[in-house]
Amino acid sequence: MKQNRKELLAQFRSIAANPRKAMEDYQKQTGKGAIGIMPVYSPEELVHATGFLPMGLWGGHCPVSKARVYLPPFACSIMQQVMELECDGVYDDLAAVVFSVPCDTLKCMSQKWKGKAPALVFTHPQNRGLESANRFLEEEYSILKKKLEKITGVTITNAALENSIQIYNENRAVMREFSRLAAEYPQFISAVDRHAVFKSRQFLEKSRHTAMVQCLIEAVRAEEPKPWDGKRVIVTGILAEPDGLLELFDELKLAIVADDLAQESRQIRVDVPEGNEAPLYRLARVWQNMYGCSLATDTKKKHGPMLVDMVRKNEADAVIVAMMKFCDPEEWDYPIYRQQFEEAGIRHLMIEVDQEITALGQARTRLQSFAEIL
Ligand code: SF4
């Protein structure tokens, strides 16, 4: 029996809120475990090809105390959360944790990792335009592949990897379609729901997630669109959480018509290229092709123009910058694209994201005033 939009969205919300259940269900169904994937970019396809479930580790919303022993107070909010959860043993059931280390905080985290799950660390080269960078990253992935094979006891064949690449490219394509749909139907897909659909892809096997999103797209398209009388915004940053923050968007009728969040659309922006080259090499090319992200060095500073373009294409009224507290790469990028916004006449607002915080009074005041100005 076909499910309707509301039922499907409730499922996405439940998965996004219960990653442990998603992991345990997967274990029951397949007999295989899970491997943690630290933010922001990793070749998840390699993990998928072992049959283990890649689980995104994007922090939580708990009070931080034990993490203070290991991280300075100015480490970003998301890593404070990850460290706290690690100290609480939340990640102990993972078979391993894959780390890319494009920022200083992640470098520290990878060195301080001391949970039961071993850390598998690799490096993204920052001189991304060079062919030697692709070759270097291919070699890093080859080392990671061997470590994964040893831990999981599974040989990752080229055929299995090609299959995983295809599954991931399909998922990215369907998520891009979903993002466009959410912009078309903001009256049916709230900001909280939109986020749940994105976040659940961190915890579900990707072909299953794709099938669920396809059902949702079909269910939404079957409904009669209604006129939207609110404003349209683009959100950029690492992530926009907690749900309470997104509920403010819904309450103030600020529809998220596109995003540039590391947890959301940056994950689906670039496909693994097709071609006859080896799959590891093509996986490495994804990093070279990445754009519009503070973690992927761009000496031409095209992040701002990309956002301006997104505003125009999506007929958005403004950009809201969800600034992760103490995230150096994002804070470093901000003054540059802020100036580019000013020059292009793009309205914008910066709000701070602190995963530990429970009171959203300040964000409410700022968003409310901004919505009134718009
Ligand atoms: S990119 Fe920013 S949010 Fe992510 S780990 Fe590094 S400092 Fe933290």
Side-chain angles (χ1 to χ4, degrees):
M1 198 179 72
K2 274 192 183 175
Q3 289 176 296
N4 66 33
R5 164 179 56 95
K6 286 188 182 158
E7 288 164 343
L8 286 160
L9 288 172
Q11 277 179 24
F12 282 112
R13 280 199 193 209
S14 156
I15 294 161
N18 298 293
R20 175 160 286 275
K21 181 170 184 313
M23 183 177 87
E24 286 169 355
D25 287 351
Y26 184 81
Q27 276 167 337
K28 266 185 230 149
Q29 285 155 13
T30 66
K32 295 245 182 173
I35 289 184
I37 307 287
M38 287 289 275
V40 175
Y41 306 110
S42 281
E44 263 189 54
E45 290 87 339
L46 274 174
V47 174
H48 185 270
T50 66
F52 279 59
L53 179 68
M55 292 284 292
L57 309 183
W58 291 82
H61 303 286
C62 53
V64 174
S65 59
K66 302 176 200 83
R68 304 272 188 239
V69 177
Y70 304 99
L71 290 176
F74 50 83
C76 67
S77 169
I78 186 167
M79 287 304 132
Q80 303 266 8
Q81 290 287 321
V82 171
M83 181 59 92
E84 188 70 22
L85 294 169
E86 187 201 348
C87 291
D88 285 341
V90 170
Y91 305 134
D92 284 355
D93 292 335
L94 298 171
V97 175
V98 178
F99 264 94
S100 129
V101 289
C103 72
D104 288 348
T105 315
L106 278 164
K107 279 190 191 78
C108 295
M109 281 294 287
S110 70
Q111 288 158 11
K112 284 171 189 282
W113 193 259
K114 53 182 183 52
K116 284 189 189 156
L120 310 182
V121 185
F122 71 96
T123 302
H124 276 117
Q126 284 296 350
N127 209 342
R128 298 184 304 127
L130 304 175
E131 178 54 16
S132 52
N134 293 332
R135 294 296 172 193
F136 170 84
L137 191 53
E138 183 186 16
E139 186 54 30
E140 286 287 275
Y141 287 175
S142 169
I143 296 166
L144 176 63
K145 176 172 172 278
K146 284 187 197 120
K147 288 182 185 167
L148 284 168
E149 286 175 335
K150 196 167 168 208
I151 285 169
T152 61
V154 178
T155 304
I156 304 171
T157 62
N158 274 359
L161 193 48
E162 290 290 2
N163 180 49
S164 298
I165 288 173
Q166 193 184 338
I167 286 171
Y168 271 69
N169 277 352
E170 279 168 7
N171 182 262
R172 292 185 192 101
V174 88
M175 285 306 292
R176 290 192 291 263
E177 187 184 346
F178 166 72
S179 179
R180 290 191 293 273
L181 183 85
E184 235 180 285
Y185 292 82
Q187 56 285 70
F188 295 152
I189 302 171
S190 69
V192 178
D193 288 332
R194 186 186 184 281
H195 172 61
V197 175
F198 268 98
K199 190 166 182 182
S200 59
R201 78 182 284 283
Q202 303 283 341
F203 313 132
L204 275 188
E205 190 281 317
K206 290 294 183 291
S207 60
R208 196 174 150 222
H209 186 259
T210 302
M212 280 181 69
V213 179
Q214 279 167 333
C215 288
L216 176 65
I217 292 172
E218 209 180 303
V220 174
R221 289 228 182 273
E223 296 188 52
E224 198 59 43
K226 288 185 197 147
W228 175 248
D229 58 356
K231 295 292 173 188
R232 299 164 64 85
V233 297
I234 308 267
V235 182
T236 182
I238 297 292
L239 51 74
E241 287 186 0
D243 276 0
L245 176 68
L246 294 169
E247 279 161 12
L248 292 175
F249 281 69
D250 291 330
E251 190 187 316
L252 298 166
K253 290 200 159 187
L254 297 170
I256 300 178
V257 292
D259 80 86
D260 167 46
L261 296 168
Q263 191 194 35
E264 300 188 7
S265 286
R266 289 187 203 169
Q267 296 292 321
I268 58 161
R269 185 169 288 159
V270 179
D271 286 341
V272 179
E274 289 179 6
N276 297 324
E277 296 100 342
L280 284 185
Y281 176 80
R282 284 165 31 234
L283 279 170
R285 287 278 314 283
V286 172
W287 180 239
Q288 187 174 62
N289 293 343
M290 186 63 197
Y291 59 94
C293 174
S294 56
L295 289 153
T297 302
D298 169 17
T299 51
K300 299 203 168 76
K301 301 294 172 201
K302 289 195 184 146
H303 193 185
M306 182 200 81
L307 288 166
V308 171
D309 199 42
M310 275 173 80
V311 168
R312 299 209 165 121
K313 275 198 188 129
N314 291 285
E315 297 176 357
D317 297 287
V319 177
I320 295 185
V321 181
M323 181 61 73
M324 174 62 65
K325 189 174 180 185
F326 296 138
C327 171
D328 291 349
E330 289 283 308
E331 287 175 351
W332 191 251
D333 241 20
Y334 176 62
I336 299 160
Y337 67 71
R338 185 181 193 280
Q339 191 177 338
Q340 291 164 331
F341 287 168
E342 298 286 335
E343 285 160 10
I346 303 291
R347 285 180 286 195
H348 55 92
L349 173 76
M350 197 259 273
I351 48 173
E352 189 176 69
V353 172
D354 182 347
Q355 290 194 306
E356 193 182 353
I357 211 155
T358 47
L360 290 162
Q362 196 184 43
R364 168 182 287 279
T365 309
R366 287 175 61 71
L367 279 169
Q368 201 164 16
S369 327
F370 190 62
E372 280 165 21
I373 291 165
L374 291 181

